[in-house]
Every structure is written in C-alpha cells, then in structure tokens.
C-alpha cells in the first residue's frame, strides 16, 4: 500500500523485497571514479582552508531558505577563514549570484559547470555541506560528507536520513501557507481527501533561525577536525 508519509528509501526497499531482493543497507552510496575527482579539482581547485559548500536553490520555491540568510551564513564562515563555495543549477544562477554578492569577496560560485559525478567529488572533498532539501544535499550524504539540511517538517519524514552523527536536518514546523493559511498537510494530497493546494510559492522554511544553522555547521566542522 502507498502511504504518503514514509521514508522514500524504505518505501522502495520494501518494494524490492516483495520481488525477492531483501535489503542489505538503507544508506545510499555514490561511488566516485578518478575522472570525477579530476573534474572537481579542475573546476574548483582545492585550497588550504576547509571547504564549506552552500546550495541555496531547490526546484520548489517553498523548500528554499531565504537568500538573505544564506548570505549571513556565508559571510560568517568566510570571515572565519573557511573556503566557501556556492553551487547551483543554471536555473539557480541568480540565487547563487545574490549569495556571493551579499557575502562579500572570496566566495566562489559554481553554476552548471560540473557533471553529477564532478559535483559528487566536490562535495566529497568538502568539510560540510549546507543546503535546502534538494539533490546536492542527498548527494553529499551519499558520498559521506557531513551535511546540514533545511527541511519542511513533512519532508523530513520522507527524505531526511535517520542518522545524526554527520547529518543534521533543521526543521520548519510550519504547516499552513504563509499567505493564505491553507493547511498543506491535508489540502495538497487529493488521495487523502484534500484539494489541490494553493497557488502560492512562499517559503515554508523561512522560520529556521540563522543561529541554529551556524551552530550545526560549527558542530560538524568540529567533529571533522
């Protein structure tokens, strides 16, 4: 049976088990090859300082933490001497530009310059990744890099990893549309008696405090050292 709120990894492991393939692990792994590492080093040459990758985009605007808060985090980390790299897809170029411009000099931008393998290698060679609930966050955890993820509460159930030593999901508990007040836990899913949702794309995660994000990044940086 399909029930919406279930971790997606376990959902598909259950399906695989039904056809005779019992689970060996629940931890996704993305193997790197030499060409991936070479690509990442060519596009973003490594420096002496620990690298922190920030990914401010997400396909759904409701999953995006405000750009202005990414700016604050990037500036704080750069002022501490860390190598801050901001990544994005070509469609997210403006988001990346705004973060880099607001955070000040020394922030490096990588937009549409890496293959998936090259991006995975870049993340694997980083000390910490900070991202919204989107592809690069999950890729970072699949190559073993400590990560801080910014999640809407419903998506934590489906997409966040269960471990916490190297993976820290920060949660927004907002369930009503910030503009019209619609309860998105009930009205977005017609199969559970709801409607079709509202048309607004306001952020559902903008109530996650900057101080909590910086504190989790600091903890993971300390654990890595």
């Amino acid at each position: 049976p399909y029930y919406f709120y279930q971790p997606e990894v376990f959902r598909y492991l259950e399906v695989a088990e039904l056809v005779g393939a019992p689970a060996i692990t629940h931890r996704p792994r993305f193997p790197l090859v030499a060409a991936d590492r070479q690509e990442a080093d060519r596009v973003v040459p490594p420096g002496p300082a620990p690298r922190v990758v920030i990914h401010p985009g997400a396909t759904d605007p409701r999953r995006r933490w405000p750009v202005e808060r990414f700016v604050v985090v990037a500036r704080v980390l750069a002022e501490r001497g860390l190598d801050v790299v901001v990544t994005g897809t070509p469609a997210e170029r403006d988001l990346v530009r705004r973060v880099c411009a607001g955070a000040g000099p020394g922030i490096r931008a990588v937009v549409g310059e890496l293959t998936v393998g090259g991006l995975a290698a870049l993340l694997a060679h980083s000390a910490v990744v900070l991202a919204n609930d989107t592809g690069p966050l999950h890729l970072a955890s699949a190559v073993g890099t400590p990560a801080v993820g910014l999640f809407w509460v419903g998506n934590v159930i489906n997409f966040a990893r269960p471990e916490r030593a190297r993976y820290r999901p920060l949660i927004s508990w907002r369930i009503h549309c910030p503009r019209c007040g619609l309860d998105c836990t009930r009205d977005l899913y017609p199969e559970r008696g709801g409607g079709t949702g509202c048309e607004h794309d306001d952020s559902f995660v903008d109530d996650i405090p900057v101080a909590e994000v910086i504190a989790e990044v600091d903890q993971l940086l300390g654990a890595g050292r």
Side-chain angles (χ1 to χ4, degrees):
Y2 181 88
Y3 186 80
F4 183 81
Y5 289 119
Q6 179 185 8
E8 294 295 334
V9 168
F10 290 95
R11 187 192 312 282
Y12 289 107
L13 288 176
E14 279 194 292
V15 173
E17 189 170 14
L18 288 173
V19 294
I24 297 172
T25 179
H26 69 273
R27 296 184 177 92
R29 289 288 181 265
F30 189 99
L32 299 173
V33 298
D36 297 330
R37 299 183 177 91
Q38 292 166 3
E39 179 188 349
D41 290 346
R42 183 179 68 254
V43 174
V44 189
R51 177 190 295 151
V52 176
V53 171
I54 295 177
H55 190 89
T59 305
D60 188 337
R62 295 172 298 179
R63 288 189 274 113
R64 294 179 191 163
W65 205 43
V67 167
E68 296 76 15
R69 300 190 187 184
F70 279 114
V71 166
V72 173
V73 176
R75 184 186 302 129
V76 167
L77 296 176
E79 289 173 351
R80 294 179 181 175
L82 294 160
D83 178 19
V84 179
V85 176
V86 184
T87 59
T89 66
E92 296 163 347
R93 190 178 303 277
D94 184 61
L95 290 175
V96 173
R97 179 194 61 78
R98 289 164 59 192
V99 173
C100 293
I107 310 296
R108 294 194 277 180
V110 178
V111 179
E113 300 173 69
L114 293 169
T115 63
V116 172
L119 177 61
L122 172 70
L123 301 176
H125 297 167
S126 301
V128 175
V129 172
L130 167 63
N132 296 311
D133 168 25
T134 192
L137 174 68
H138 310 307
L139 189 59
S141 66
V143 295
T145 301
V148 176
L150 307 170
F151 282 87
W152 173 65
V153 59
N155 288 337
V156 168
I157 299 171
N158 288 54
F159 301 110
R161 289 186 64 164
E163 296 87 4
R164 293 295 174 266
R166 298 166 64 84
Y167 187 87
R168 308 292 172 82
L170 293 175
I171 303 171
S172 168
W173 299 89
R174 174 178 287 147
I175 63 171
H176 296 94
C177 171
R179 193 180 307 187
C180 69
L182 189 74
D183 182 348
C184 68
T185 64
R186 299 184 181 278
D187 289 288
L188 290 183
Y189 309 109
E191 69 275 9
R192 289 192 280 123
T196 58
C198 65
E199 298 179 353
H200 305 131
D201 58 6
D202 302 61
S203 173
F204 269 74
V205 297
D206 64 354
D207 57 344
I208 298 174
V210 169
E212 290 187 11
V213 173
I214 294 175
E216 294 295 350
V217 170
D218 282 345
Q219 283 195 14
L220 290 177
L221 286 169
R225 287 194 293 270

